Amino acid sequence: MTAENFRKRWTGQGTVWSVAMPLLMLCSGSVTAQFSGDENKNPRFAGSAPPAIIVPTDTRVRAELGKSLQLTCRALTSSSDKYSTIIYWLANQQFIEDLFQDGRVKEGKEEFLTDKGKTVIQKHLKFTKVTPEDFKTNFVCVVMSLTGSSEMSITLVRKISFSQIGRRR
């Protein structure tokens, strides 16, 4: 999601925009997320919980160099309204489309699901080919709603295949 897409998505949604803008500082194409726990709750919605990221469960994901990869971010939301929750990925504090202009890494579409009567939002991050630079990149899933926000940082860890082990000898 680019800064322009983010702005367009939330134009006319004054309440959400007033919540989202203090959380994100858009500075020359990069994003600094201001999240860290309970202070992400919006006091105007004290009775509702902020979104809770349930997938991934680990901050390190194994990836094989040169292979495709799909990361999934999934969060429980306290709202059934699709327009009150947003989910997106960042890479090194930049929107995915801005950092990977070649399209090698792309966000999928937002998906809304129901799990045991609760609303779940998810978005995939798709790599056509994992490169060495990806192992040095900090990927962050961000979920924001009127009730607060959550984020999870993911780093890729190099997975070694059996064929690579044989070549090392």
Side-chain angles (χ1 to χ4, degrees):
M1 167 177 294
T2 64
E4 180 64 16
N5 288 344
F6 185 83
R7 185 189 61 73
K8 283 181 184 175
R9 166 86 188 263
W10 294 100
T11 299
Q13 309 237 350
T15 303
V16 175
W17 188 243
S18 67
V19 171
M21 269 319 288
L23 297 175
L24 292 177
M25 295 167 17
L26 303 173
C27 303
S28 45
S30 67
V31 177
T32 304
Q34 306 291 325
F35 307 111
S36 62
D38 284 342
E39 66 271 16
N40 300 331
K41 283 183 135 182
N42 184 334
R44 291 176 38 194
F45 298 94
S48 300
I53 295 174
I54 55 176
V55 172
T57 57
D58 194 354
T59 60
R60 296 165 40 115
V61 174
R62 292 190 179 277
E64 195 170 341
L65 186 63
K67 301 287 184 175
S68 63
L69 176 69
Q70 179 173 289
L71 300 178
T72 300
C73 184
R74 185 175 301 138
L76 286 173
T77 69
S78 59
S79 174
S80 60
D81 178 11
K82 291 182 180 183
Y83 301 104
S84 65
T85 304
I86 186 170
I87 185 171
Y88 59 95
W89 285 92
L90 299 173
N92 292 340
Q93 299 182 346
Q94 294 183 54
F95 291 113
I96 298 300
E97 293 87 352
D98 294 340
L99 188 62
F100 299 100
Q101 293 181 1
D102 62 357
R104 183 181 61 80
V105 180
K106 291 182 180 179
E107 291 183 290
K109 294 185 181 207
E110 290 177 352
E111 298 175 45
F112 287 87
L113 315 162
T114 304
D115 183 25
K116 298 176 187 167
K118 298 192 179 204
T119 302
V120 175
I121 186 172
Q122 78 175 13
K123 185 175 269 196
H124 302 291
L125 187 63
K126 301 173 184 180
F127 298 70
T128 56
K129 182 179 176 181
V130 174
T131 67
E133 196 61 31
D134 296 331
F135 297 104
K136 302 173 196 166
T137 303
N138 181 38
F139 296 96
V140 179
C141 173
V142 181
V143 185
M144 296 186 337
S145 75
L146 294 172
T147 59
S149 60
S150 296
E151 73 168 27
M152 179 174 264
S153 291
I154 304 296
T155 53
L156 300 183
V157 178
R158 195 161 178 180
K159 178 178 166 182
I160 309 238
S161 69
F162 288 114
S163 62
Q164 290 173 319
I165 293 171
R167 282 186 259 164
R168 289 184 174 186
R169 293 182 184 178

